């Protein structure tokens, strides 16, 4: 799919991996809608790339109206990249008793249901696009995690939420194929996000030592490169791509 001069929305685009995707897309001539729950971050990043900032909670069932506003501003929506999500760690049964059910539910709500919500709303709008020469009307890229496969102790909620995103790839791609919409998923490993960058250098080095090759944390730009591949390679569909330097997470 040709993405230059098209309109693509990025959730979680106000920081971290999402911001890297926004900047990579803008560098390819894309009109980007930057979606983030943090209004200041959304508008700051959007302004820096000539995009459209949208303060939005991805779990909002009525978010379609906000997407329509972005479409009015930037044109038909041809792509969606879901990067919004939360982390957190909690044991199923810890020193203070069982994990609060609300904590588990919130992680599922934001990471899994939020991804599905934006996917369904975007796809409903993409299906009305005029098809290109391949019959394509759009492309969706979701963000999972290697925790979906190698979930560690304390990651039950996070791993379950990301595992759900992995499981969405095939049925969503099969269903949306009739509209000419592809769905792919990237499962990043350990990346140098703003949160990790705050850790002491020796801690970062210890984490990097667990990665087979290259022996370092992933760069956000490398994540963005794979997202661009998923958007532009028209034969790439229903895939889950691990991007992790060959790491396999230990139990703890």
């Amino acid at each position: 799919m040709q993405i230059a001069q098209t309109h693509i929305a990025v959730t979680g685009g106000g920081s971290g991996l999402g911001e890297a995707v926004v900047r990579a897309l803008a560098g390819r001539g894309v009109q980007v809608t930057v979606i983030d729950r943090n209004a200041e971050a959304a508008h700051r990043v959007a302004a820096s790339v000539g995009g459209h900032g949208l303060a939005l909670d991805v779990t909002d069932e009525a978010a379609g109206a906000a997407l329509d506003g972005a479409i009015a501003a930037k044109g038909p929506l041809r792509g969606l990249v879901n990067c919004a999500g939360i982390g957190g760690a909690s044991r199923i049964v810890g020193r203070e008793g069982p994990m609060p059910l609300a904590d588990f539910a919130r992680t599922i709500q934001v990471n899994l249901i939020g991804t599905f919500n934006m996917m369904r709303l975007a796809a409903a709008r993409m299906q009305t696009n005029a098809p290109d020469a391949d019959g394509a009307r759009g492309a969706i890229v979701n963000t999972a995690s290697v925790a979906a496969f190698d979930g560690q102790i304390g990651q039950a909620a996070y791993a379950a939420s990301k595992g759900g995103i992995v499981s969405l790839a095939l049925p969503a791609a099969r269903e949306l194929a009739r509209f000419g919409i592809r769905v792919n998923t990237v499962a990043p490993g350990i990346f140098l996000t703003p949160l990790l960058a705050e850790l002491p250098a020796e801690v970062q080095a210890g984490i990097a030592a667990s990665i087979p090759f290259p022996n370092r944390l992933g760069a956000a730009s490398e994540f963005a490169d794979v997202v661009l591949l998923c958007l532009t390679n028209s034969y790439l569909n229903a895939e889950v791509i691990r991007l992790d330097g060959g790491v396999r997470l230990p139990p703890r």
Side-chain angles (χ1 to χ4, degrees):
M1 186 175 82
Q2 297 296 320
I3 61 173
Q5 305 310 312
T6 65
H7 175 203
I8 296 176
V10 182
T11 73
S15 64
L17 299 180
E19 181 177 355
V21 171
V22 168
R23 298 192 182 283
L25 289 172
R28 296 283 289 269
V30 174
Q31 296 293 313
V32 188
T33 289
V34 183
I35 299 173
D36 204 285
R37 190 176 182 182
N38 183 324
E40 187 280 328
H43 293 299
R44 172 183 56 80
V45 174
S48 72
V49 298
H52 180 75
L54 188 57
L56 180 66
D57 186 332
V58 295
T59 67
D60 184 357
E61 191 173 354
L67 274 185
D68 289 337
I71 289 169
K74 292 296 183 180
L77 189 65
R78 288 280 179 176
L80 170 70
V81 183
N82 274 311
C83 293
I86 59 173
S90 179
R91 289 177 180 252
I92 298 169
V93 180
R95 290 190 179 90
E96 298 178 0
M99 178 195 303
L101 188 58
D103 292 353
F104 185 90
R106 172 165 168 71
T107 303
I108 298 296
Q109 181 73 16
V110 174
N111 293 353
L112 177 55
I113 296 177
T115 292
F116 179 79
N117 185 42
M118 297 307 298
M119 180 170 66
R120 75 183 182 94
L121 295 173
R125 286 149 180 82
M126 289 179 192
Q127 69 170 329
T128 66
N129 291 339
D132 67 11
D134 275 343
R137 290 183 170 87
I140 296 170
V141 184
N142 295 325
T143 303
S145 165
V146 295
F149 311 100
D150 310 335
Q152 297 179 294
I153 291 171
Q155 285 188 323
Y158 183 72
S161 70
K162 294 301 187 175
I165 293 172
V166 166
S167 294
L168 269 176
L170 181 58
R174 284 173 164 171
E175 180 178 339
L176 298 179
R178 66 193 178 104
F179 301 125
I181 300 171
R182 295 179 296 109
V183 180
N184 288 291
T185 300
V186 183
I190 308 169
F191 275 70
L192 188 58
T193 60
L195 183 62
L196 275 182
E198 293 176 2
L199 296 175
E202 61 271 19
V203 175
Q204 293 185 38
I207 296 172
S210 68
I211 301 170
F213 187 80
N215 201 217
R216 58 171 174 78
L217 303 179
S221 61
E222 293 171 316
F223 174 83
D225 286 343
V226 176
V227 169
L228 288 177
L229 174 67
C230 291
L231 291 170
T232 59
N233 190 318
S234 296
Y235 207 62
L236 187 60
N237 196 14
E239 277 301 328
V240 178
I241 303 172
R242 285 186 69 133
L243 184 65
D244 57 22
V247 74
R248 298 296 181 265
L249 303 180
R252 55 168 61 86

